């Protein structure tokens, strides 16, 4: 069963920074991580910090972007 969580201002800002586009030039055939990979990594870190399964996150309808639902870790 999913539970409601709330991001702090700092957590929200870190998540938004992780979701920004990554400008780059490919040198030697290696590209940096994509926006999606960066966002997933940020959610994984928040999941560890706040004790929820990062891949179960969904928005809470009618509330600000600071609130989300996710399955707690057991």
């Amino acid at each position: 069963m999913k539970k409601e969580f709330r991001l702090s201002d700092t957590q929200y800002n870190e998540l938004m920074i992780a979701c920004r586009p990554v400008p780059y030039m490919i040198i030697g055939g290696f590209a940096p991580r994509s926006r999606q990979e960066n966002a997933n990594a940020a959610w994984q870190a928040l999941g560890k910090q706040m004790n929820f399964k990062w891949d179960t996150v969904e928005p809470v309808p009618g509330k600000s972007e600071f609130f989300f639902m996710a399955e707690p870790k057991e």
Side-chain angles (χ1 to χ4, degrees):
M1 176 166 269
K2 290 192 176 185
K3 173 184 165 188
E4 186 175 298
F5 292 87
R6 186 192 188 287
L7 296 171
S8 69
D9 290 343
T10 302
Q11 291 167 327
Y12 177 79
N13 289 335
E14 288 173 358
L15 185 60
M16 292 300 101
I17 289 168
C19 294
R20 287 183 183 164
V22 181
Y24 67 93
M25 291 181 2
I26 298 176
I27 299 172
F30 297 102
R33 294 192 316 182
S34 70
R35 286 175 75 176
Q36 186 65 56
E37 290 168 324
N38 288 339
N40 288 347
W43 279 111
Q44 287 173 346
L46 281 171
K48 285 181 183 178
Q49 182 182 13
M50 298 174 75
N51 202 33
F52 64 84
K53 296 177 184 176
W54 75 272
D55 56 350
T56 64
V57 171
E58 61 183 53
V60 178
K63 287 200 172 183
S64 77
E65 60 273 6
F66 286 86
F67 293 90
F68 63 93
M69 300 286 288
E71 290 180 23
K73 286 185 180 176
E74 297 175 3

